[in-house]
Amino acid sequence: MLDFTLGGSRPTVDLSQVFDVVIIGGGPSGLTAAMYSGRYMLKTLLIEKMVVCGGQLATINSVENYPGFTKPVSGSHLAKEMENQAVKMGVQILQSQVDSVNFVNEIKKLTTPQGVVRTRAVVISTGVQPQTLDVPGEKKYMNKGVAYCATCDGHLYIDKTIAVVGGGNTALEETITLTKYAKKIFLIHRRKEFRADKIIQEKVKAIPKVELILNTVVKEIDFSNEEKKNILVSTKGQQKTFAVDGIFIFVGILPNSKLFRDTLKLEDGFVVTDKDMKTNIEGVFAAGDVRSKDLRQLTTAVGDGAISAFSVKNYLTNGNI
Ligand SMILES: Cc1cc2nc3c(=O)[nH]c(=O)nc-3n(C[C@H](O)[C@H](O)[C@H](O)COP(=O)(O)OP(=O)(O)OC[C@H]3O[C@@H](n4cnc5c(N)ncnc54)[C@H](O)[C@@H]3O)c2cc1C
């Protein structure tokens, strides 16, 4: 029997057993899938590679759009509560990284540094990560002026001056969202034309408070002085600074789906599912941001998580759904 001690004060997991369901990823979708699976009395293991669960949620300073909280709630607090609730339902948590998967047989195998985990069903909740600019200051001021989500952070910039970086549909749509809050927006794009659909481009160009800064790349973000936050940009070799209160970066998101690219149907790297969160492989489900969908938020992640657990229960009971 293999026994492994989990990160922190978590109990030991016996990896010799076959689980009913293993959830890969301990963000909001994975924690919800786990909590529901536990309530369905399924033998449930959640594997999270980080020391703490929560995924992107754990990085959010203040969540203001999660139902039930009239006052802002800290992301790490909400994540810990979600984890506690899952554990209360009998869910086991293994702090480890799934390095490879084998979905060929009815009993699926997940390889981790601690050994092979065997399970009858899998929920993939590996989430996404925003593509970064990789410029000095970006990491340092993440969530302190550097943002990647207009719906999440736009309200922090009411009547402020901000920069938006990117040239695709998301960047321009998020710019439109941000016009509800900011008094001035510099829309910075590295090429001479946007990649976004023409119709969205026309909308953005018609907004007086949006100033287009084309052929321009961001070189550095310097928010060290609270009174005088600057971004350094370069336009055709000429350097210039913009004084802004914040910068929103929309240069793409990267789904954490590399592990599944040879087995699952993907769309631009996102896992394709049906409305029941079922993938193209029997017994394998996906939930949350890693899924191909339009709105990536906490509420949609937890909704996906609940549906995936319901589908797992039906799959294990009836053999299909
Ligand atoms: C800065 C920021 C602010 C945001 N603000 C808001 C907001 O205010 N309101 C809102 O509704 N949404 C907000 N969001 C979006 C929200 O956080 C996401 O939609 C949500 O977290 C998605 O949950 P998820 O479980 O699908 O994925 P994630 O939160 O990305 O979690 C995925 C988890 O899987 C783990 N994982 C990945 N690969 C493996 C592997 N191979 N093995 C083991 N574990 C693995 C990761 O470590 C991670 O913990 C924000 C996002 C960011 C980045």
Side-chain angles (χ1 to χ4, degrees), residues 24-30 47-50 54-57 59-60 62-65 96-98 125-128 130 143 149 152-153 256 259 287-290 296-299 301:
I24 312 175
S29 62
I47 305 179
E48 167 55 53
K49 67 179 176 183
M50 306 301 280
Q56 298 168 68
L57 173 59
T59 71
I60 307 172
S62 160
V63 178
E64 300 191 5
N65 60 353
S96 192
Q97 170 156 328
V98 175
S125 294
T126 46
V128 297
N143 293 328
C149 172
C152 316
D153 294 336
N256 296 319
L259 279 181
D289 281 10
V290 74
R296 292 189 173 84
Q297 289 279 280
L298 296 168
T299 44

Side-chain angles (χ1 to χ4, degrees), residues 62-137:
S62 160
V63 178
E64 300 191 5
N65 60 353
Y66 194 75
F69 294 90
T70 46
K71 289 190 186 131
V73 56
S74 100
S76 55
H77 172 75
L78 191 53
K80 191 66 199 160
E81 286 295 288
M82 287 184 186
E83 179 183 336
N84 290 343
Q85 203 176 0
V87 170
K88 215 170 145 193
M89 295 298 149
V91 172
Q92 298 182 74
I93 300 180
L94 176 67
Q95 194 220 321
S96 192
Q97 170 156 328
V98 175
D99 289 328
S100 67
V101 294
N102 182 336
F103 296 151
V104 174
N105 298 315
E106 207 168 312
I107 301 294
K108 283 112 181 75
K109 291 181 182 160
L110 313 175
T111 304
T112 73
Q114 283 96 328
V116 175
V117 180
R118 291 172 304 143
T119 178
R120 296 166 68 207
V122 175
V123 177
I124 296 163
S125 294
T126 46
V128 297
Q129 42 196 322
Q131 196 154 339
T132 56
L133 290 174
D134 270 340
V135 296

Side-chain angles (χ1 to χ4, degrees), residues 280-294:
N280 57 307
I281 294 189
E282 282 280 285
V284 179
F285 303 81
D289 281 10
V290 74
R291 209 164 72 73
S292 181
K293 62 178 186 177
D294 293 329

Side-chain angles (χ1 to χ4, degrees), residues 237-257:
Q238 299 282 319
Q239 304 230 326
K240 192 175 166 183
T241 55
F242 284 95
V244 293
D245 296 295
I247 180 168
F248 283 77
I249 297 165
F250 303 111
V251 292
I253 49 170
L254 302 172
N256 296 319
S257 63

Side-chain angles (χ1 to χ4, degrees), residues 11 42 114 130 142-143 153 201 224 258 271 275 285 304 315:
L42 301 176
Q114 283 96 328
M142 206 176 270
N143 293 328
D153 294 336
Q201 290 193 34
S224 52
K258 225 169 156 182
V271 180
K275 69 173 180 38
F285 303 81
D304 287 359
Y315 166 73

